[in-house]
Amino acid sequence: MPKHQHQSHPDIVKRLRRVEGQIRSIAAMIEDGRGCVDVAQQLAAATSALSGAKDKFIRDHIDHCLVGAAGSSSRGQLDELKAITKFL
């Protein structure tokens, strides 16, 4: 199978590596008995970062894969699809 990579993928991988580090730190915080508010705050930050990476990946897929496959006649529907993904 050919390698499928977009220009944004290296940035997304960097974001995911950062989230990976955050998750390890959060696990260490829990093991060390850190306060619940501190842990919850870090969990929220990691969740937000992961969600941002997911959003970027999906929007990039719409822009580069679906638009090319559907052609210009479907551009309006794809723009609507892209807009509605922010509510997922």
Side-chain angles (χ1 to χ4, degrees):
M1 176 175 260
K3 189 173 183 178
H4 184 84
Q5 188 162 3
H6 298 172
Q7 188 174 0
S8 66
H9 286 182
D11 178 54
I12 292 169
V13 169
K14 285 180 191 174
R15 290 178 184 207
L16 293 173
R17 299 272 189 245
R18 230 175 285 128
V19 172
E20 182 180 29
Q22 284 180 300
I23 297 299
R24 286 190 181 130
S25 294
I26 294 166
M29 289 174 71
I30 293 170
E31 291 172 341
D32 292 344
R34 294 280 301 269
C36 293
V37 173
D38 292 339
V39 172
Q41 182 179 27
Q42 292 306 310
L43 283 168
T47 300
S48 178
L50 185 58
S51 181
K54 177 195 70 166
D55 290 349
K56 175 71 175 155
F57 188 83
I58 291 171
R59 290 168 195 254
D60 187 61
H61 174 70
I62 292 168
D63 285 341
H64 295 99
C65 297
L66 298 182
V67 170
S72 61
S73 64
S74 300
R75 183 67 194 175
Q77 289 93 353
L78 291 172
D79 286 343
E80 188 174 333
L81 174 64
K82 187 175 179 180
I84 203 167
T85 61
K86 68 182 174 184
F87 299 110
L88 292 176

